Amino acid sequence: MINIIISGNFAFLNHLTIIPALACLDDECYPGWLKTFVRRKHLAFHHNPKENSGKSFLSFRNAVDLVLFALVTSLSVPVVSNLLQISGKQQAMNASFHSLRLVNTYGAFGSVGEKRYEAIISVSNDGRNWTEIEFPCKPGSIQRRPCFCAPYHYRLDWNIWFIGFKPHQSMLQRRENWLFRLIQKILTDEEESSRPWMALLDASSVELLQRTPKFVKVDMYHYEMAGSLWVMAANWFEGKAPVWWKRRYEEPLIKPVTVDPSGHLAYAII
């Protein structure tokens, strides 16, 4: 969990996972200084008359805790049933089972894909020579090393990631249709002050788009790591050009488009 906190996103989820996990450890697992500190606090409480006067309150607190525990336990029955798929139905993610929504299911990801597909945006001025747009933290060039970004995702990197789920066209048309708007922005000749969205791209792409392209296309590629970290580290020490990824063309996502006289996207005739 600590490794994910350091290297990944959604770090608060990992902090929340660590906290209850600590209660599962035996007391002997903790360092001596921490056990001594807790023991002193415990002894000070039981030998302090003023604090002992609060025992009646603690009894009431314990009773309230038991009632809440019983309530949460009873409300958790359908949640656990959903988690274990006891009814035979597919597990529902981010779902509620009671009108008050006191106990729910939550998951950052219901499933994780086994393959990595990336949507690669390319621009051109002649329809023959294409240059790829780079995002701040996503793989594009195979020589681009994986980056660290925490605790927050880059906005476009996060959104375009969902297009990697199959079927790609379905994801594009249903929830990621913002990509058409981005392409229209790329193809529209505007003053720099009117293009704040360019700050969401990698610096190299910002420089590239200083000159408005005539055509844009989007292709899907299947990405894999080029090798183990040890192999790539050895190549680096030997002075070889780093190659972090290997990729294979998958399919066209958006065929070459341009902007028509009315300012709308239209398929390009190249």
Side-chain angles (χ1 to χ4, degrees):
M1 285 297 159
I2 293 175
N3 180 56
I4 297 176
I5 290 172
I6 295 173
S7 63
N9 302 283
F10 274 145
F12 69 92
L13 294 178
N14 307 109
H15 287 97
L16 293 177
T17 303
I18 289 175
I19 292 172
L22 294 176
C24 299
L25 297 177
D26 188 273
D27 291 349
E28 294 302 318
C29 296
Y30 293 102
W33 65 267
L34 181 59
K35 291 187 288 185
T36 302
F37 175 79
V38 173
R39 190 179 297 113
R40 287 176 179 173
K41 287 291 184 181
H42 177 74
L43 293 175
F45 172 80
H46 286 282
H47 289 84
N48 191 325
K50 293 183 179 180
E51 292 188 358
N52 283 333
S53 62
K55 287 187 176 180
S56 58
F57 170 77
L58 289 178
S59 299
F60 173 75
R61 171 66 182 273
N62 291 337
V64 172
D65 289 345
L66 287 174
V67 172
L68 292 176
F69 176 78
L71 175 63
V72 172
T73 300
S74 62
L75 294 177
S76 297
V77 172
V79 178
V80 176
S81 176
N82 170 73
L83 176 65
L84 301 178
Q85 302 181 34
I86 296 176
S87 61
K89 297 181 180 179
Q90 185 176 2
Q91 185 182 127
M93 301 299 296
N94 304 319
S96 300
F97 298 89
H98 301 280
S99 57
L100 295 179
R101 301 186 176 185
L102 296 178
V103 179
N104 314 291
T105 62
Y106 173 76
F109 304 99
S111 61
V112 178
E114 297 180 357
K115 296 182 179 180
R116 180 168 192 161
Y117 297 97
E118 297 288 349
I120 303 298
I121 302 175
S122 303
V123 298
S124 174
N125 286 306
D126 57 14
R128 293 186 300 273
N129 301 302
W130 296 87
T131 304
E132 296 179 2
I133 296 293
E134 298 284 358
F135 290 87
C137 218
K138 289 186 68 63
S141 168
I142 59 174
Q143 294 183 324
R144 194 176 196 206
R145 71 165 179 81
C147 76
F148 291 91
C149 62
Y152 305 110
H153 285 284
Y154 290 101
R155 185 174 299 177
L156 287 186
D157 295 56
W158 168 252
N159 281 317
I160 203 171
W161 174 75
F162 289 98
I163 299 178
F165 289 103
K166 286 190 172 183
H168 308 303
Q169 279 292 343
S170 177
M171 293 299 295
L172 172 67
Q173 299 295 337
R174 287 191 294 112
R175 58 168 292 168
E176 306 304 327
N177 54 20
W178 58 267
L179 186 55
F180 292 108
R181 182 60 176 161
L182 174 63
I183 291 174
Q184 188 175 25
K185 287 284 188 181
I186 292 175
L187 291 170
T188 303
D189 189 8
E190 299 176 322
E191 294 183 1
E192 188 172 348
S193 59
S194 303
R195 310 178 87 184
W197 53 270
M198 290 182 68
L200 301 175
L201 303 176
D202 185 71
S204 62
S205 296
V206 173
E207 183 178 352
L208 172 68
L209 295 178
Q210 294 301 317
R211 179 185 177 188
T212 304
K214 293 182 179 180
F215 307 104
V216 174
K217 67 174 182 175
V218 184
D219 296 308
M220 297 301 303
Y221 284 85
H222 175 216
Y223 275 76
E224 293 179 301
M225 294 299 294
S228 67
L229 179 61
W230 316 115
V231 171
M232 289 184 281
N235 291 337
W236 183 79
F237 279 112
E238 293 173 4
K240 297 179 181 179
V243 177
W244 292 90
W245 306 95
K246 56 181 179 181
R247 71 179 189 179
R248 184 183 70 252
Y249 179 79
E250 185 73 15
E251 63 182 61
L253 184 68
I254 300 176
K255 295 181 179 180
V257 294
T258 187
V259 173
D260 63 20
S262 63
H264 296 93
L265 290 180
Y267 285 110
I269 301 176
I270 300 176

